[in-house]
Amino acid sequence: PMPLLHYLRLIDIMARMGLRADATRFFLGYIWWILEPLLWVGIFYFVFVTIMGTRGPDFLMFLATGKLVFVWFSKSVTQASNSIIDAKGLVGKINVPKTLFPMAVVQEGVYRQAAVFVMLGIILIINGYTATATWWYLVPLMIVNYVVILACAFVGACLVCLARDFAQIISLGMIFLMFTSGVFFDVRALDPEKTKLVLDLNPIAFLLDAYRQIMMYSTAPDMLHLLMVGLGFGVLLCAMVLFMRRRSQYLALRALTA
């Protein structure tokens, strides 16, 4: 087996090479890290405010916080789901841990999102929100968010190896989650029973709400709920790592013949 330090270093190298290759494809290069999520927010703000007439003094910040976090999840999982298939030329020649490929893609997303979070914090402060001590709750929240992304990325990568059709299903699933996780609406504005149902059954909705509670309203999230989400997806992540190690050759064969 590959030593852990070597494994982590290789993930970092692959992620940085991917970012560099991606940046060289565009004239604006690394600026797209910030520009793309801002354009997403601008498009949806135009639709919901200008066309649909959604009002609210903090709707832009509400939308930006939710959408920028959701893009981290959706883009990382969607791209990581295709990572083993996309690397089938390498998979067929070298016996490396199959977790390496989705991990590298997720790590790319971490580097991008770091810049996005800095930008989001600056925008919130400029618009009158205060960076209080409550913002330290972002640390455990981001760790759990990362675990959720990684677990879903591993599941998606295995499913796409089994059948490429799952790539389409995952993309549709992201659209479904975008409209049901409170990206565009406040789950707390629903009646109490529906709010509890959405937050309990949809971990993405809970995470988005937690970011807003911390960054916009200086309110600590439900740490017990956060712990349960982290533990649940942590168990799933460990199970997927074991599965991908024990079925490494099978996944390689499926990727080559998919």
Side-chain angles (χ1 to χ4, degrees):
M2 185 181 295
L4 179 60
L5 187 61
H6 185 191
Y7 177 78
L8 295 176
R9 188 175 298 146
L10 188 56
I11 287 171
D12 178 66
I13 292 172
M14 290 175 65
R16 292 176 184 273
M17 287 177 61
L19 290 172
R20 192 174 296 113
D22 192 48
T24 57
R25 292 169 49 217
F26 303 103
F27 177 74
L28 295 179
Y30 294 106
I31 296 175
W32 277 109
W33 290 16
I34 303 297
L35 187 58
E36 182 185 9
L38 284 179
L39 288 174
W40 274 113
V41 172
I43 290 169
F44 284 112
Y45 183 78
F46 175 79
V47 171
F48 282 92
V49 174
T50 306
I51 298 178
M52 299 181 65
T54 302
R55 291 291 181 268
D58 61 350
F59 182 71
L60 178 58
M61 295 298 99
F62 178 89
L63 176 63
T65 305
K67 184 60 181 172
L68 294 179
V69 173
F70 184 79
V71 166
W72 178 26
F73 168 78
S74 62
K75 191 169 184 178
S76 294
V77 173
T78 301
Q79 291 181 344
S81 296
N82 295 293
S83 60
I84 299 177
I85 293 288
D86 290 342
K88 65 181 181 180
L90 183 61
V91 168
K93 296 177 181 177
I94 305 174
N95 184 22
V96 293
K98 303 307 175 287
T99 54
L100 186 68
F101 303 103
M103 273 285 289
V105 173
V106 171
Q107 194 63 27
E108 284 186 47
V110 169
Y111 293 146
R112 287 194 185 97
Q113 194 65 21
V116 171
F117 273 129
V118 171
M119 175 199 66
L120 178 60
I122 293 172
I123 291 175
L124 285 167
I125 292 170
I126 290 174
N127 280 272
Y129 295 89
T130 305
T132 64
T134 310
W135 281 32
W136 283 108
Y137 283 102
L138 289 172
V139 175
L141 179 58
M142 289 176 183
I143 292 173
V144 172
N145 200 161
Y146 177 77
V147 171
V148 170
I149 290 172
L150 204 52
C152 293
F154 284 3
V155 171
C158 289
L159 290 175
V160 173
C161 280
L162 296 178
R164 286 205 176 203
D165 306 70
F166 280 110
Q168 301 299 322
I169 296 172
I170 290 169
S171 295
L172 290 173
M174 291 304 167
I175 295 174
F176 174 78
L177 281 175
M178 183 173 65
F179 285 103
T180 58
S181 300
V183 174
F184 311 113
F185 66 91
D186 187 356
V187 296
R188 294 179 181 270
L190 304 172
D191 64 68
E193 289 186 1
K194 286 185 178 178
T195 296
K196 186 177 185 306
L197 184 67
V198 171
L199 293 178
D200 287 346
L201 297 182
N202 187 342
I204 303 304
F206 169 75
L207 292 176
L208 297 187
D209 178 70
Y211 278 105
R212 287 172 175 142
Q213 293 301 311
I214 293 170
M215 301 186 77
M216 295 180 64
Y217 309 123
S218 295
T219 302
D222 184 341
M223 293 304 291
L224 179 59
H225 193 160
L226 184 64
L227 177 62
M228 295 305 293
V229 171
L231 287 176
F233 279 91
V235 170
L236 176 60
L237 177 59
C238 292
M240 291 308 302
V241 170
L242 289 175
F243 173 80
M244 294 176 78
R245 282 185 176 181
R246 293 182 178 181
R247 297 290 183 267
S248 180
Q249 294 302 318
Y250 174 73
L251 290 173
L253 180 63
R254 296 297 303 183
L256 292 171
T257 57

